[in-house]
Amino acid sequence: MSFSLYSVSGQGFVGRDENITELVKQLSSKNKIGFSLSGIRRIGKTSILKETKRLLEKKGIIVIYISVWSIVPSTVDEFAKILNRATILAFEKKLPKKFKFEHLLVTGTKALQTFLQNLKLSTTVAADLEASVSYVRKESDDVENAMKKSFSLIEDLSRMTKTQSVLVIDEFPSLADLTYGTKNQKMGLQIIQLLRTLFEDFKLTKLVVSGSFRDTLENLVTKSKAPFYKQLLLREIMPFNKKEIEEFLKHYLHTLKFSDEDTKNELYKITSGIPYNLQLIGKEIQYLELKKIDRKKLSEIIKIVLQKDGEQSFKEFTENISPSEIKVLKGLAKSPGLSPIDISKQEFIDENSVNNSLNLLGKKGIIKKVKRGRYEFTDNLFSEWLKYQSLL
Ligand SMILES: Nc1ncnc2c1ncn2[C@@H]1O[C@H](COP(=O)(O)OP(=O)(O)OP(=O)(O)O)[C@@H](O)[C@H]1O
Ligand SMILES: [Mg+2]
């Protein structure tokens, strides 16, 4: 089996039975239900979305997958383009005649209606497309209408082709940052409101969103003032459990023998059950062509991985945090379980900053509170990397 640092589905996808069963069953049912998936970085959200997509498509359900991070520049206009393009592509096989959104964009204004008529679409679908095209071509500046028509296109195509569909928006909280016009006015939140209103009335289209920062996702989905409050089922994606790690090992490294249970437990602990870490360490074990592994060998491999890939893998974590947050993290990495007061003494920062930092780091999902005054890393490999950095 080949290792991957990208999201996986199909062959390389292991575990997650409960999540997948629920998602596929509910999303293919007649129930009016959508989901919001949260989970720390690299826990496997995108993979779950893609595996769900694959299985739903097998059942004849149309799935439109969009990652907000692929919208570059992050403007409403670009979003409209990407959404329309993805929608048409997803429905392609069910259309009377094949076409691409780009075809519509290059057809002259006058010819557009004839072009659309020839495609034998329903009147609502044709009208949705016409509105989106004229907006993207800057012939109209009614952005709200254009967005409304872009989302309605999915529901109207579903009705026209008599299919159920699912719109999946990955990295959903970033939608809030989309801007509009020459002044880069933020209007993402308006779009999110609109999405909510529209989905309330959609009969054939369901919505699934996903995001990694619990805080921002909560603002949109869980809090009582949030636009999607009580509209979506909330599911937190958890680390692999021991059974899933066993499954991962069997699938990816089936010839590898563990010299004892202790070594396996250590692998479980150091990876924190995060699939990305398993891919990272697994590819090294494969590269070294190891047949057998004990604790000593495992810690050697961890060192090699941190040396080779640590910076690339964890830089992103330290880029968006303040110097005192880093100090707190380093303190916790050096002495796991240290209380806030002791962190303050050990790292020479005042107690207020320590508590503040702990709070912010918790919101970012980098650490979790296990009980009063006691914090743990959500990713032990990251903690190991910080420790390793301090030794350099
Ligand atoms: N079920 C799985 N089986 C095997 N590998 C997996 C699984 N889920 C995730 N992975 C691996 O873990 C890594 C992260 O996966 P993925 O991109 O799906 O996570 P994510 O939560 O979407 O991450 P991000 O926060 O960066 O968006 C990838 O290397 C992927 O191959
Ligand atoms: Mg992802």
Side-chain angles (χ1 to χ4, degrees):
M1 190 72 227
S2 35
F3 291 90
S4 163
L5 299 183
Y6 297 102
S7 58
V8 286
S9 61
Q11 266 284 305
F13 187 90
V14 302
R16 306 300 192 193
D17 293 348
E18 253 177 61
N19 292 311
I20 297 291
T21 308
E22 183 185 32
L23 284 164
V24 172
K25 202 163 170 182
Q26 290 292 11
L27 294 171
S28 58
S29 75
K30 295 271 179 266
N31 295 339
K32 240 184 105 164
I33 278 175
F35 288 88
S36 164
L37 308 187
S38 66
I40 57 168
R41 293 225 71 88
R42 295 148 182 188
I43 199 76
K45 300 172 296 291
T46 302
S47 301
I48 290 178
L49 296 176
K50 293 206 166 156
E51 179 67 0
T52 305
K53 175 177 193 288
R54 190 183 72 86
L55 295 170
L56 285 173
E57 282 170 348
K58 272 190 168 175
K59 290 174 168 251
I61 291 165
I62 302 283
V63 183
I64 298 144
Y65 169 91
I66 285 181
S67 165
V68 179
W69 285 4
S70 69
I71 305 171
V72 182
S74 57
T75 60
V76 175
D77 298 26
E78 194 60 29
F79 178 51
K81 231 188 279 178
I82 287 186
L83 180 62
N84 282 298
R85 194 188 295 148
T87 303
I88 293 169
L89 196 69
F91 277 95
E92 194 167 50
K93 281 199 197 115
K94 303 230 168 191
L95 296 173
K97 283 189 182 172
K98 263 193 179 187
F99 70 98
K100 300 246 179 307
F101 189 57
E102 274 64 24
H103 293 158
L104 306 181
L105 290 180
V106 296
T107 307
T109 318
K110 282 199 187 127
L112 185 64
Q113 277 196 5
T114 331
F115 190 100
L116 285 170
Q117 263 166 22
N118 284 336
L119 293 174
K120 301 199 167 23
L121 303 163
S122 69
T123 33
T124 43
V125 168
D128 294 337
L129 285 168
E130 220 181 315
S132 304
V133 167
S134 79
Y135 177 74
V136 171
R137 290 207 295 218
K138 304 246 183 316
E139 293 159 3
S140 120
D141 59 5
D142 191 347
V143 57
E144 188 145 349
N145 184 51
M147 281 320 303
K148 192 171 155 200
K149 293 292 162 63
S150 300
F151 290 126
S152 303
L153 177 65
I154 307 175
E155 174 77 0
D156 294 335
L157 272 169
S158 304
R159 192 165 312 121
M160 183 189 116
T161 58
K162 299 189 176 62
T163 26
Q164 271 177 256
S165 61
V166 180
L167 172 63
V168 178
I169 310 184
D170 204 355
E171 306 296 352
F172 180 68
S174 298
L175 257 194
D177 300 328
L178 291 188
T179 61
Y180 166 72
T182 43
K183 289 194 185 126
N184 288 333
Q185 218 179 315
K186 275 206 179 182
M187 77 161 285
L189 277 178
Q190 273 158 273
I191 293 183
I192 291 167
Q193 297 277 8
L194 176 71
L195 196 62
R196 180 226 138 109
T197 319
L198 289 172
F199 269 86
E200 254 184 72
D201 293 331
F202 283 177
K203 297 208 163 47
L204 298 166
T205 317
K206 295 188 174 104
L207 179 69
V208 178
V209 304
S210 155
S212 43
F213 296 111
R214 208 177 46 204
D215 207 36
T216 35
L217 196 62
E218 269 177 4
N219 285 333
L220 300 175
V221 179
T222 23
K223 292 196 180 145
S224 59
K225 282 196 191 123
F228 278 99
Y229 180 58
K230 288 195 177 161
Q231 291 226 333
L232 301 170
L233 295 176
L234 314 174
R235 296 293 176 261
E236 185 175 355
I237 307 306
M238 303 306 281
F240 273 175
N241 59 30
K242 252 191 123 173
K243 210 178 119 230
E244 287 172 309
I245 295 211
E246 294 277 355
E247 199 183 319
F248 183 93
L249 293 171
K250 212 160 120 195
H251 199 78
Y252 281 86
L253 292 163
H254 65 281
T255 52
L256 181 74
K257 298 245 170 330
F258 281 78
S259 64
D260 49 38
E261 202 51 30
D262 213 27
T263 310
K264 222 178 239 176
N265 285 335
E266 185 56 25
L267 178 70
Y268 187 32
K269 203 174 134 204
I270 190 79
T271 58
S272 296
I274 298 173
Y276 179 83
N277 293 344
L278 286 162
Q279 296 276 357
L280 213 54
I281 294 169
K283 67 118 181 66
E284 200 57 39
I285 295 176
Q286 182 199 52
Y287 178 72
L288 296 171
E289 298 176 17
L290 286 188
K291 296 273 170 286
K292 200 171 173 194
I293 190 165
D294 56 18
R295 273 195 78 142
K296 192 162 157 269
K297 199 78 209 159
L298 180 62
S299 40
E300 272 172 45
I301 288 170
I302 304 289
K303 276 217 181 69
I304 299 174
V305 167
L306 291 176
Q307 217 167 1
K308 282 211 250 181
D309 310 313
E311 183 161 344
Q312 183 208 316
S313 306
F314 298 119
K315 210 174 60 195
E316 163 197 346
F317 288 22
T318 51
E319 262 167 4
N320 301 317
I321 56 184
S322 71
S324 56
E325 284 168 58
I326 297 204
K327 278 191 191 167
V328 168
L329 284 180
K330 285 195 170 167
L332 268 181
K334 261 187 271 169
S335 330
L338 209 60
S339 70
I341 301 175
D342 290 330
I343 298 176
S344 142
K345 285 184 195 147
Q346 183 185 290
E347 301 296 318
F348 310 109
I349 26 178
D350 70 90
E351 226 185 300
N352 256 341
S353 311
V354 172
N355 283 317
N356 233 332
S357 300
L358 286 168
N359 193 7
L360 290 171
L361 289 165
K363 281 190 175 164
K364 288 174 193 160
I366 294 180
I367 57 172
K368 55 177 191 269
K369 192 175 186 169
V370 280
K371 56 182 181 203
R372 223 192 128 162
R374 203 188 147 102
Y375 296 81
E376 274 175 14
F377 277 81
T378 49
D379 182 348
N380 286 328
L381 196 61
F382 176 49
S383 149
E384 204 58 29
W385 181 68
L386 284 172
K387 227 164 42 189
Y388 175 77
Q389 291 291 88
S390 327
L391 299 177
L392 291 181

